[in-house]
Amino acid sequence: MTPFVAPSLPSSADVSVGFVFVLCLLLILLVPFAGAGLALINSGLGRSRSAAHAMVGALCVTSVAALVYVIVGFSWQGIAGRPDHGFMIAGKTWGWIASEPFFLRGLHLDLSPAALVVLLQMLSVGLAGMIPLSSGSDRWRLGAICASTALLAGWTYPLFAHWAWGGGWLAQLGVNCGLGRGFVDGGGSGAIQVVGGVTALSITWILGPRRGKFSAEGMPAALPGHNVVLVLLGCVFAWIGWMALNSAGAMLFLGVEPGRVVLIAINTTLCAAASGLAAAVVTRVRFGRPDASLSANGWIAGLVASSAAAAFLKPAAAIIVGGVAGILVVLVADFLEFQLAIDDPGGAVSVHAVGGLWGVLSVALLADAGRGGLGAAGQWLAQLVGIATLLGFVLPLTYGLNWLLDRVYRQRVSREGEVQGMDLFELGAGAYPEFDIHGDDLLTR
């Protein structure tokens, strides 16, 4: 993967370079809207007695991820073109892990490409860490959330991000093996979404289902989220953040010109719109009426799927990418719950893991061959190698790390805490105290 090179305009190279960097900075400053959106969605899809815990967990994830990434994470991820550790195969060098100093020492934190990458990745790793929160909803201890996030931000995320974005071996598949441009993932369908999604799958396996979710015969019970309004509001916030994330990522990691930001925003919106509508139609056909929470998950799945190829899709192709994502999120959510007995309250596995994998694959299947050199033979194989790495290496790695953590520090809350609710048990106060007061008043009367 070639490092970011700012395009020059005929008038003044200095002005154009400055414009690109300022535009990129402004886009990055909008990325936290994506995190705010996911936090609202996680809270709304959970139980009311754990709503405050979900929001505090989101803040803790963001904080721990930023601190750990700055201390050690960036040291393993690095930036394309800077020193890293590699290995030789058949006379060709393959990047394995970066060799940057800890605590960002030696970096000029200004409007340079390296500093912008650090800022974007501080926010992106927090976004990846927020994805498993919905899978562990109503039963994941706050201390375990912080510890698991530290593992993600300090090792799992930066390792794969180096391979995809930091000049590592996945990015080098094009140069070393002639597989198109190498692994392409502009806005993080794989590096952010699938890494977070497979971590969510690991957490659901380790924690087990919520009490009362499955009957003795294995049939799932409906445990609806407590506030669908928060969920839908979160979709709007996520939409804003995703347009910025996809645009900034494409500029920094793929070197696209700033004028393509308009195309990226259009494609991101079309993917989300088509996916949300597809999920609504599928639920209408299956259940007789559209399901609000699944439609919202479809909207997010479209955003997730758009990230990898938003800079290289034609609008018609973006609609296809979104439509497929919306269908997948409903079908996979049902399969995980009814066939595999996986309790994923927020649908993180079907939305982020499956949607992200589809987004990575869509680069080879639907991207405009005339843009970015993606028409070269072998691009599909480079994308498949990336998918195989996510499923064959990152999933076992993140499961193993969290399994070891669970042996040292139990991640699931006690039975008493789950019955009482995470808000009261871990925070000492509920998110909606007036509900309890009104309920007591009615009982006394």
Side-chain angles (χ1 to χ4, degrees):
M1 190 77 66
T2 58
F4 172 79
V5 178
S8 59
L9 297 178
S11 56
S12 169
D14 292 337
V15 173
S16 78
V17 170
F19 169 76
V20 171
F21 292 162
V22 171
L23 173 62
C24 195
L25 174 62
L26 294 176
L27 290 169
I28 293 173
L29 294 179
L30 293 176
V31 172
F33 276 101
L38 290 188
L40 289 172
I41 292 170
N42 292 343
S43 178
L45 289 176
R47 312 293 291 275
S48 61
R49 61 193 182 190
S50 301
H53 189 272
M55 297 302 292
V56 173
L59 284 177
C60 289
V61 164
T62 303
S63 303
V64 171
L67 291 171
V68 173
Y69 182 81
V70 166
I71 295 171
V72 298
F74 177 75
S75 302
W76 315 136
Q77 178 179 342
I79 299 173
R82 293 174 67 94
D84 67 351
H85 300 289
F87 53 90
M88 296 287 295
I89 297 181
K92 297 179 180 178
T93 303
W94 300 85
W96 170 250
I97 193 170
S99 57
E100 299 283 350
F102 294 153
F103 291 96
L104 307 181
R105 288 182 292 115
L107 279 180
H108 296 289
L109 300 180
D110 48 20
L111 281 178
S112 63
L116 292 173
V117 167
V118 171
L119 178 58
L120 176 61
Q121 292 303 284
M122 280 179 59
L123 303 175
S124 298
V125 70
L127 195 62
M130 212 174 292
I131 293 169
L133 283 178
S134 62
S135 292
S137 178
D138 301 319
R139 62 204 189 280
W140 199 11
R141 298 171 62 188
L142 190 60
I145 289 171
C146 295
S148 178
T149 301
L151 295 174
L152 175 71
W155 183 244
T156 311
Y157 177 90
L159 186 63
F160 186 83
H162 175 72
W163 298 345
W165 290 333
W169 67 273
L170 283 176
Q172 294 171 319
L173 288 172
V175 175
N176 289 346
C177 296
L179 301 182
R181 283 192 55 168
F183 182 70
V184 173
D185 184 15
S189 284
I192 300 173
Q193 308 303 327
V194 179
V195 169
V198 297
T199 303
L201 179 59
S202 302
I203 293 300
T204 60
W205 279 337
I206 292 169
L207 295 179
R210 291 167 291 176
R211 299 188 184 279
K213 176 61 181 177
F214 294 100
S215 66
E217 294 77 23
M219 289 300 296
L223 299 176
H226 82 281
N227 194 330
V228 73
V229 176
L230 288 182
V231 176
L232 298 177
L233 179 61
C235 289
V236 177
F237 284 167
W239 173 34
I240 298 171
W242 241 275
M243 287 189 289
L245 174 65
N246 289 350
S247 299
M251 292 172 66
L252 287 172
F253 300 127
L254 301 180
V256 304
E257 63 274 13
R260 211 180 297 183
V261 169
V262 177
L263 174 66
I264 293 172
I266 289 173
N267 285 339
T268 303
T269 303
L270 289 175
C271 281
S275 185
L277 288 175
V281 170
V282 172
T283 55
R284 172 68 174 81
V285 172
R286 297 195 63 184
F287 309 128
R289 63 191 67 186
D291 184 274
S293 61
L294 285 174
S295 298
N297 273 350
W299 175 274
I300 300 299
L303 296 175
V304 168
S306 73
S307 290
F312 306 115
L313 293 173
K314 292 181 178 179
I319 294 174
I320 296 174
V321 171
V324 173
I327 296 171
L328 285 175
V329 73
V330 178
L331 299 182
V332 173
D334 276 0
F335 177 78
L336 293 176
E337 187 170 290
F338 285 90
Q339 303 300 322
L340 301 183
I342 291 176
D343 183 16
D344 182 12
V349 178
S350 56
V351 172
H352 297 276
V354 176
L357 291 173
W358 162 239
V360 169
L361 189 60
S362 70
V363 173
L365 296 179
L366 294 169
D368 184 359
R371 291 183 178 269
L374 296 179
Q379 185 64 54
W380 64 273
L381 184 55
Q383 300 304 110
L384 288 178
V385 171
I387 291 173
T389 304
L390 287 163
L391 297 179
F393 180 83
V394 176
L395 174 58
L397 174 65
T398 190
Y399 179 84
L401 290 175
N402 280 282
W403 183 87
L404 290 174
L405 173 62
D406 193 54
R407 304 280 79 76
V408 177
Y409 181 79
R410 183 165 177 79
Q411 299 203 49
R412 180 163 181 156
V413 73
S414 64
R415 179 184 180 88
E416 177 189 358
E418 192 172 349
V419 172
Q420 186 178 9
M422 302 298 289
D423 287 356
L424 291 176
F425 188 76
E426 290 216 317
L427 304 180
Y432 308 103
E434 69 277 9
F435 287 1
D436 297 330
I437 294 172
H438 292 168
D440 292 341
D441 290 343
L442 290 172
L443 288 176
T444 56
R445 293 175 184 176

